[in-house]
Amino acid sequence: MENKVRKLGVFRPGNFILIGLFLLVLLGSFMAYGQVKGPFTENEIQEAQSGATRFINGELKIGQGQLVDVRHFFFVGTVYEVETPQGRKNLISFVTPATTPIPGQKVEWVGVDNYTSYMTTVSPEKKTMDGEIISLERISPKNNDQFYCVVHSLTDDTVQRFIVDTAKLTTLKTLNSVHVDYHSPGESVVEPVANTQKIAKGFISDLWLTTKIKGLELERNFDFEKYPYYITLSPKTNAKYTWTFYLTKEQKEQVKIGNVLEVHYSSVFPSNIAVTRETVDPNVLAENSPENASDNGKKQ
């Protein structure tokens, strides 16, 4: 009997069950791949990958159309089906954003071919925003023709980015006050307005060497010797925006991380800094923390 058992080897009944389960899982994996990959050919995916590479290298186009559908696929990302003057097309983004436009809305995107870097809605009516530039950013790392101007509204706690060209960029600086007329980021007019003395209140969440950060502001004849340090000032822990100020050595000696400040400014170079508290009140941090914000929402 023992010899007979040994001869069975891998052909034991229990092993047949395991092999059957393995084949079932393998078949399920192939079927699932078709679902998560989506109804896209390798050519479509490779075209989007090529578009993403060209986008990183500086090529970009702005397009508009009607959003037909939004779908998410594990191996692809987010796919936007849009109606354009040239017909319907699938735009592929290799990320899954927190929110997406609703099908039926007019939308705008930035990308190359069937790759899209971002998508947003186009307002049918002209909107206006009065606010402050909190950053000037590159849309594509190697593109020197079009840029993002990120504006924080003075009337509510919203932040929006607008697309500006090189000529407009030369008239703008971070923390300038601006007036914007727009339908979408790409269909907007950003105009500087009188830049009065303003006051920023918050706590220092970051303090480091200016040479350690990147930004368009630092590419435009910035005096690193005069302003070797920067601070990030946050109005609260879960704020949608922060201020970045560049400090002289003397100003840096006045502050440290965690200080609560009142900063007088009309540009990224503050005219006066006053420490109002040595440390942030833990109760204030707790009240403004994202965790408590969600808890409060649940209680209501």
Side-chain angles (χ1 to χ4, degrees):
M1 178 66 71
E2 287 181 5
N3 291 338
K4 186 176 181 182
V5 171
R6 289 194 189 97
K7 288 179 181 178
L8 286 174
V10 296
F11 298 107
R12 293 175 182 177
N15 287 352
F16 279 115
I17 294 173
L18 291 175
I19 293 170
L21 288 173
F22 173 75
L23 292 174
L24 191 62
V25 170
L26 191 63
L27 178 62
S29 299
F30 282 117
M31 293 177 66
Y33 178 74
Q35 295 295 319
V36 296
K37 173 178 173 290
F40 304 102
T41 65
E42 291 300 324
N43 286 341
E44 282 182 287
I45 297 173
Q46 288 173 4
E47 184 182 0
Q49 291 171 336
S50 172
T53 301
R54 288 157 59 196
F55 175 81
I56 291 172
N57 288 329
E59 186 177 339
L60 66 87
K61 292 181 181 178
I62 303 171
Q64 288 190 355
Q66 200 81 15
L67 184 62
V68 177
D69 194 16
V70 181
R71 290 167 292 171
H72 304 286
F73 300 100
F74 184 77
F75 286 134
V76 177
T78 304
V79 178
Y80 303 92
E81 184 180 355
V82 294
E83 188 73 53
T84 72
Q86 293 76 36
R88 287 198 181 189
K89 62 187 300 186
N90 288 318
L91 300 174
I92 297 175
S93 171
F94 296 112
V95 297
T96 301
T99 59
T100 58
I102 300 170
Q105 292 181 316
K106 187 177 181 181
V107 291
E108 178 180 279
W109 61 88
V110 170
V112 179
D113 292 336
N114 67 334
Y115 165 76
T116 178
S117 167
Y118 92 104
M119 181 169 288
T120 188
T121 57
V122 177
S123 171
E125 301 87 23
K126 183 175 77 171
K127 293 185 175 183
T128 62
M129 177 183 280
D130 291 296
E132 176 179 83
I133 299 174
I134 57 174
S135 67
L136 295 167
E137 304 169 358
R138 291 187 180 277
I139 300 176
S140 163
K142 297 182 181 179
N143 184 283
N144 294 309
D145 299 319
Q146 293 173 302
F147 306 86
Y148 284 133
C149 173
V150 185
V151 179
H152 174 246
S153 172
L154 295 176
T155 56
D156 54 39
D157 192 26
T158 58
V159 174
Q160 182 143 345
R161 57 187 181 184
F162 304 100
I163 296 174
V164 298
D165 60 18
T166 307
K168 177 61 66 176
L169 182 71
T170 60
T171 69
L172 305 173
K173 289 185 177 180
T174 304
L175 299 187
N176 276 175
S177 297
V178 291
H179 173 83
V180 187
D181 293 319
Y182 69 97
H183 288 276
S184 67
E187 202 175 327
S188 60
V189 178
V190 181
E191 293 294 344
V193 298
N195 208 38
T196 57
Q197 187 78 197
K198 293 169 281 190
I199 299 176
K201 297 180 180 180
F203 68 95
I204 299 177
S205 56
D206 192 19
L207 189 163
W208 195 228
L209 297 172
T210 304
T211 53
K212 298 297 182 180
I213 63 172
K214 294 180 180 180
L216 278 174
E217 205 71 48
L218 306 180
E219 297 178 23
R220 301 193 288 176
N221 301 317
F222 189 89
D223 191 339
F224 287 91
E225 194 170 321
K226 185 175 181 180
Y227 300 100
Y229 302 96
Y230 79 91
I231 58 171
T232 300
L233 196 69
S234 302
K236 54 185 179 181
T237 53
N238 59 338
K240 295 180 182 177
Y241 69 97
T242 58
W243 294 279
T244 297
F245 295 107
Y246 300 103
L247 309 185
T248 63
K249 291 179 181 178
E250 293 74 21
Q251 289 174 320
K252 186 263 182 184
E253 294 302 318
Q254 302 175 33
V255 300
K256 59 184 178 181
I257 287 184
N259 283 172
V260 179
L261 306 183
E262 182 175 290
V263 179
H264 293 246
Y265 70 98
S266 58
S267 71
V268 291
F269 311 113
S271 55
N272 185 63
I273 298 175
V275 178
T276 57
R277 286 183 66 95
E278 286 297 319
T279 57
V280 182
D281 185 347
N283 294 323
V284 174
L285 287 178
E287 289 171 8
N288 291 322
S289 69
E291 291 80 9
N292 276 357
S294 59
D295 288 343
N296 291 339
K298 291 177 184 176
K299 291 174 185 177
Q300 294 171 356

